[in-house]
């Protein structure tokens, strides 16, 4: 009896080995937990990754898996290329592991199929000019939330491009174009799609001009005015030669523009307000639009003087044994260092004669100014006059 049981066990073991050697054993069915992407464009061949799939297994997307007997695509390297002709909100994954029947994967693994992207979806760009290498928010009029876009040179083909900039609900995306300067076209992808379509609406092709970045010239700014300011007093300076997007900074004359932090004051309007602390001579560092350097401007210096009245500014009054009550004055050497709220209470001094400042709106930008061309207007140091308010007398 024992001998018969031993023989039966040996035969059973041999049978199991034969199944293994002959590859008769089927592996357990795979379970796909995720697909990427989960939305594709109709009629476009798209590579989809099947997380959890095994090579050799077959897949197909359908409304119902009951009638799918032999899925049309085979998994290789965890991926399969799928083409679906018609749009659909939800398609189920029909999966067939090797040696098993077709099964319907869990309801969380579904695919959406959207219509091809319209060539006229985007009708306008704002702005239409950017600087090479500079991150710039661009509004795409007509673009939908969750769409994607990319700009490529006009000679490139959008079919070879991959839209990778997300568009928000306002139609805006932030684009950084590292390529060479020139004209670029827009490749757009509708939400959920996988295509890349050049935008060419009826109003004309969508074009973006990319300005080539150039190094800042040492003669970019040719002059500044005024060239003397008071320490710690906000002063509006004119900078001849400044262009939109330029930035500037004043540093001590003993320092190097390259060694200091980059300029951060926007001077694109041709004028800007500066506050410089500490008396001395300062040089001007400039970064041209789109450039990444910081270049000292040749022949441009700013003299910064300490606040207060110097003896030679009131020489005429001293020679007449006059006495100046400094508590009643907020004098500065240049009216332009004052803002509109303090302008009327400040003075300019020329050759020992004081002139009342006034807010000059006849120029741009408006500034605190003094008319020194005549002694009839604004002069506060004249016989039997206190220049207006008693608070201005001395």
């Amino acid at each position: 009896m024992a001998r018969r049981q031993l023989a039966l066990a040996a035969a059973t073991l041999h049978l199991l080995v034969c199944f293994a050697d002959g590859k008769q054993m089927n592996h357990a069915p795979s379970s796909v937990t995720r697909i990427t992407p989960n939305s594709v464009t109709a009629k476009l061949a798209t590579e989809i990754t099947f997380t959890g799939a095994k090579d050799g297994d077959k897949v197909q997307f359908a409304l119902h898996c009951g009638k799918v007997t032999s899925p049309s695509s085979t998994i290789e390297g965890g991926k399969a290329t799928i083409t679906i002709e018609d749009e659909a909100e939800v398609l189920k994954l029909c999966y067939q592991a090797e040696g098993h029947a077709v099964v319907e994967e869990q309801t969380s693994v579904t695919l959406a199929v959207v219509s091809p992207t319209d060539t006229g979806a985007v009708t306008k760009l704002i702005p239409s000019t950017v600087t090479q290498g500079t991150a710039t928010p661009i509004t795409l009029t007509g673009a939908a939330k969750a769409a994607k876009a990319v700009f490529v040179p006009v000679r490139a083909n959008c079919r070879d491009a991959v839209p990778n900039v997300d568009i928000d609900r306002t139609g805006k995306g932030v684009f950084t174009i590292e390529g060479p300067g020139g004209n670029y076209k827009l490749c757009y992808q509708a939400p959920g799609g996988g295509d890349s379509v050049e935008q060419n609406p009826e109003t004309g092709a969508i074009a973006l001009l990319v300005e080539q970045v150039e190094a800042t010239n040492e003669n970019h700014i040719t002059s500044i005015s005024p060239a003397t300011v008071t320490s710690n007093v906000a002063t509006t300076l004119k900078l001849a030669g400044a262009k939109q997007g330029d930035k500037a900074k004043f540093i001590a004359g003993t320092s190097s523009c390259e060694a200091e932090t980059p300029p951060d004051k926007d001077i694109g309007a041709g004028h800007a307000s500066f506050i410089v602390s500490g008396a001395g001579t300062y040089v001007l560092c400039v970064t041209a639009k789109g450039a990444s350097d910081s270049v000292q401007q040749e022949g441009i210096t700013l003299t910064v003087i300490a606040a207060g009245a110097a003896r030679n500014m009131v020489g005429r009054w001293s020679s007449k044994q006059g006495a100046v009550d400094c508590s009643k004055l907020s004098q500065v050497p240049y009216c332009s260092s004052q803002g509109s709220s303090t302008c009327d209470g400040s003075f300019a001094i020329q050759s020992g004669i004081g002139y009342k400042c006034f807010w000059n709106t006849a120029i741009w930008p408006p500034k605190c100014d003094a008319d020194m061309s005549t002694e009839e207007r604004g002069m506060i140091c004249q016989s039997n006059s206190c220049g207006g308010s008693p608070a201005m007398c001395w």
Side-chain angles (χ1 to χ4, degrees):
M1 182 67 178
R3 184 175 299 175
R4 180 178 299 177
Q5 290 176 339
L6 182 62
L8 181 60
T12 301
L13 178 62
H14 177 72
L15 180 62
L16 291 174
V17 170
C18 288
F19 267 91
D21 291 344
K23 297 182 180 180
Q24 299 293 322
M25 299 178 67
N26 295 329
H27 62 66
S30 304
S31 178
V32 177
T33 59
R34 184 177 65 178
I35 60 172
T36 307
N38 57 11
S39 180
V40 299
T41 300
K43 299 179 174 58
L44 178 69
T46 306
E47 185 179 74
I48 299 178
T49 299
F50 297 81
T51 302
K54 293 183 179 179
D55 288 358
D57 292 348
K58 294 185 176 183
V59 291
Q60 183 173 327
F61 289 96
L63 292 173
H64 305 285
C65 294
K67 296 182 180 181
V68 178
T69 58
S70 179
S72 56
S73 300
T74 302
I75 299 292
E76 294 182 7
K79 301 178 180 180
T81 298
I82 306 289
T83 302
I84 300 176
E85 293 297 321
D86 300 318
E87 302 169 38
E89 291 186 4
V90 178
L91 292 181
K92 298 176 181 179
L93 173 60
C94 307
Y95 193 92
Q96 184 178 38
E98 187 176 358
H100 289 76
V102 176
V103 297
E104 180 182 307
E105 287 296 298
Q106 57 267 38
T107 57
S108 60
V109 182
T110 59
L111 182 72
V113 185
V114 300
S115 59
T117 299
D118 186 0
T119 59
V122 178
T123 59
K124 186 179 179 181
L125 296 180
I126 302 175
S128 59
T129 301
V130 300
T131 300
Q132 176 192 37
T134 300
T136 307
I138 299 178
T139 298
L140 310 179
T141 302
K145 177 184 177 181
K148 294 179 182 294
V150 67
F151 288 95
V152 299
V154 291
R155 293 184 179 181
N157 195 322
C158 278
R159 289 195 300 270
D160 301 325
V162 179
N164 55 7
V165 174
D166 294 323
I167 307 302
D168 66 17
R169 61 182 180 82
T170 66
K172 184 180 295 183
V174 179
F175 296 84
T176 303
I177 301 176
E178 302 290 352
N183 291 315
Y184 282 65
K185 61 186 178 183
L186 175 63
C187 303
Y188 179 75
Q189 182 183 96
D195 53 4
S196 178
V197 178
E198 179 181 347
Q199 293 303 283
N200 192 9
E202 293 181 359
T203 54
I206 300 297
L208 179 73
L209 175 62
V210 178
E211 294 182 337
Q212 183 79 31
V213 172
E214 296 180 358
T216 305
N217 192 290
E218 62 182 8
N219 295 309
H220 192 77
I221 302 299
T222 56
S223 67
I224 61 172
S225 178
T228 302
V229 300
T230 302
S231 175
N232 291 317
V233 176
T235 307
T236 298
L237 299 181
K238 288 185 177 180
L239 300 98
K243 297 179 177 61
Q244 184 179 12
D246 293 348
K247 296 184 183 300
K249 178 181 181 179
F250 286 98
I251 65 171
T254 56
S255 302
S256 167
C257 288
E258 292 79 6
E260 295 287 330
T261 55
D264 55 3
K265 176 67 71 171
D266 190 340
I267 58 172
H271 56 80
S273 179
F274 292 85
I275 298 178
V276 184
S277 300
T281 300
Y282 289 73
V283 296
L284 178 62
C285 304
V286 171
T287 299
K289 179 181 178 180
S292 58
D293 52 13
S294 177
V295 178
Q296 179 177 333
Q297 297 302 284
E298 184 177 7
I300 304 295
T301 59
L302 179 70
T303 301
V304 181
I305 62 175
R311 168 65 65 177
N312 61 2
M313 300 171 89
V314 292
R316 178 171 297 186
W317 298 325
S318 297
S319 66
K320 295 184 178 181
Q321 289 77 47
V324 177
D325 182 359
C326 292
S327 65
K328 299 258 187 355
L329 292 175
S330 56
Q331 75 171 55
V332 291
Y334 291 95
C335 291
S336 62
S337 64
Q338 294 297 299
S340 59
S341 62
T342 58
C343 181
D344 289 342
S346 59
F347 304 84
I349 305 297
Q350 185 176 45
S351 301
I353 299 179
Y355 295 86
K356 182 182 177 182
C357 298
F358 70 99
W359 192 248
N360 190 349
T361 58
I363 61 174
W364 182 259
K367 70 174 183 176
C368 195
D369 201 358
D371 186 354
M372 299 178 182
S373 62
T374 173
E375 294 187 357
E376 296 301 322
R377 178 177 180 179
M379 194 173 72
I380 62 172
C381 185
Q382 53 184 318
S383 177
N384 301 319
S385 173
C386 289
S389 169
M392 299 178 182
C393 296
W394 51 81

